[in-house]
DNA sequence: GTGTTCGTATAAGGGATGCTGATGTCGTGG
DNA sequence: CCACGACATCAGCATCCCTTATACGAACAC
């Protein structure tokens, strides 16, 4: 199973077409046909239906592996390259809720800041496209975030902050001193996958429900808060990131908003300085 | 970076010799030389010192990635193969402390039982060599074990059991009703990496210390207990696995011995039956 | 210092692999 | 029914990679 073939397979599925994938990869169409045929011959099962081009069940299984595999390959290459690389631009990938005032203050010397979800941020560090990641997400107090395993990276907790439920004014629960998530599982929630993904919340809180309401595809927590304040659904945010609406602390289950710093082994330099500043 | 080359690289490091690796892989020596040269040319750095053959720092980095990568490749292949595979022998990989009487009773129809550490057991399931894994290890109560991420596997908790410190009779602490691990960090411990690895204990308990004493390379918990009872060092075992010695419950930090069942998506069959029996 | 030996690197040749361009085949839409 | 779009197949050719043969270099013995 050549990674080259795997990458072609991923592209074909993404494009939904052999010819389009060939264009994108700089091959001719027969080359892509033959690569897919080689993969299917190797594994002994069809991976794609043709016309329309869609993954079979076996193809879906393979897809689940292909992404992490190709990422890990890039990570290996990046890890080796880091040893002999000259210090260059300093890129930080941060979660949308990771940048409080004092965290931002610690980012001296950073050239580029990129906002990305926890998994993407870690992937950027692993593949060498970013030097540091500030991954954020919900977690039980003092529990680590459940970050994908992409190789030998160092992870340190940076901060944990109380979470609040953001409600519109006049909501029946707005007067409560604290709220339990179980009581809100049937309510409508703002579905903001780039700010506070509902599926991660479900996993951490160990509950089903949290019906998705309006979907917000950006990564500005203030917008999510405003949507919640306007009654489009509830949302859960760290206290400092909810500028409006009625904010009621979450009391059960005990979940906090956690920020972790992820980086590879770093030579002394500006990146290491930022790590020191963030962890002190 | 061809996985083929990666695999050759791993073999060369393991054998400590190009020629020996060539023999093992069924190549000639120049083929191995050329493969390593190709890898080094691709990555732009020497990966091995020659005479003696040892990984350079870049090579060590690559090695850290190569194992998981090759495992993941096997896992992908196995995952696809599972879809069209006929039900065959049913193999279970179990941790050394996973098999209590009732757990063993649930293994109806199992053909082969293999004892392996948690990481190895999971790797066996991922690569399709085993159908089920019963991984075991220390963990905070109701926290999952920290198993390596090898792809889309299902994990369910099976059991949690109290841990006891095994002491020789007459030990100054033998009369205590309960023990704190911090107070024992400076004591000598039985180093039984296949039964209860000290490094995992350190990670879970978040402490250094636990000085390794006698090393036991087998995986029989009774032997570890006997070594402890004979005064060769302390050891920590689930209450049911310590047949001798003075057994004092561990009261802090709160750590239990946890067993988790790991398996891929299973078609109905004997394997699924065992899963049902173990999780009910 | 010199010779022997062991182990890796290099060179040349041949077979397999994999890409391109041309053409075939099948399903869809006019 | 025909034309068109899209994937499969085929032939040809360049490249890659493995094998055999040989060169090179370090370690060791004397």
């Amino acid at each position: 199973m050549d990674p080259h073939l795997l990458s072609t397979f991923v592209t074909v599925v993404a494009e939904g077409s052999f010819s389009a994938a060939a264009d994108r990869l700089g091959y001719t169409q027969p080359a892509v046909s033959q690569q897919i045929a080689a993969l299917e011959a190797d594994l002994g099962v069809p991976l794609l239906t043709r016309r329309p081009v869609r993954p079979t069940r076996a193809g879906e299984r393979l897809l689940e592996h292909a992404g992490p595999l190709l990422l890990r390959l890039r990570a290996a290459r990046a890890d080796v390259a880091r040893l002999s690389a000259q210090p260059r631009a300093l890129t930080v990938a941060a979660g949308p809720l990771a940048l409080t005032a004092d965290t931002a203050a610690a980012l001296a010397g950073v050239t580029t800041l990129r906002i990305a979800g926890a998994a993407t941020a870690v992937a950027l560090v692993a593949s060498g496209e970013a030097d540091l990641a500030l991954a954020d997400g919900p977690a039980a107090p003092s529990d680590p975030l459940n970050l994908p395993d992409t190789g030998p990276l160092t992870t340190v907790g940076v901060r944990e902050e109380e979470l609040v439920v953001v409600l519109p004014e006049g909501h029946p629960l707005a007067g409560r001193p604290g709220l339990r998530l179980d009581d809100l599982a049937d309510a409508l929630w703002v579905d903001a996958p780039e700010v506070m993904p509902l599926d991660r919340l479900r996993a951490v809180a160990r509950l089903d429900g949290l019906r998705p309401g309006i979907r917000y595809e950006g990564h500005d927590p203030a917008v999510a808060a405003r949507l919640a304040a306007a009654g489009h659904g509830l949302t859960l945010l760290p206290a400092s990131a909810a500028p409006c609406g009625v904010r009621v602390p979450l009391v059960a289950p005990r979940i906090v908003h956690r920020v972790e710093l992820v980086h590879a082994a770093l030579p002394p330099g500006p990146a290491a300085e930022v790590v020191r500043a963030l962890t002190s």
Side-chain angles (χ1 to χ4, degrees), chain A residues 26-163:
Chain A
Y27 290 124
T28 54
Q29 172 265 317
V32 172
S33 264
Q34 289 170 29
Q35 289 187 15
I36 300 296
L39 248 187
E40 292 181 324
D42 182 19
L43 295 174
V45 286
L47 297 170
L48 294 170
T49 64
R50 326 292 155 102
R51 235 181 303 250
V53 173
R54 246 183 255 292
T56 62
R57 283 184 55 204
E60 284 171 3
R61 289 296 178 85
L62 187 61
L63 264 185
E64 284 188 87
H65 289 276
L69 251 166
L70 295 172
L71 171 60
R72 186 90 204 216
L73 267 169
R74 289 199 305 277
R77 183 179 291 278
D79 222 1
V80 171
R82 246 188 294 266
L83 280 178
S84 49
Q86 294 310 309
R88 347 118 290 167
L90 179 54
T91 301
V92 174
L97 301 172
L99 279 185
T100 54
D102 25 331
T103 303
L107 300 183
V110 170
T111 318
T112 306
L113 180 67
R114 190 158 159 191
I115 302 299
T120 310
V122 172
L124 287 168
V125 170
S127 63
E129 294 170 66
D131 301 275
L132 268 43
L134 283 161
D136 73 312
S142 82
D143 257 24
L145 294 174
N146 201 5
L147 297 174
D149 178 16
T150 49
L153 299 177
T154 308
T155 305
V156 287
V158 169
R159 173 164 33 96
E160 290 190 353
E161 195 178 350
E162 186 187 33
L163 283 165

Side-chain angles (χ1 to χ4, degrees), chain A residues 9 81 107 117 183 199 243 259 274-275:
Chain A
F9 173 66
L107 300 183
D183 302 335
D199 50 354
V259 178
V274 173
V275 170

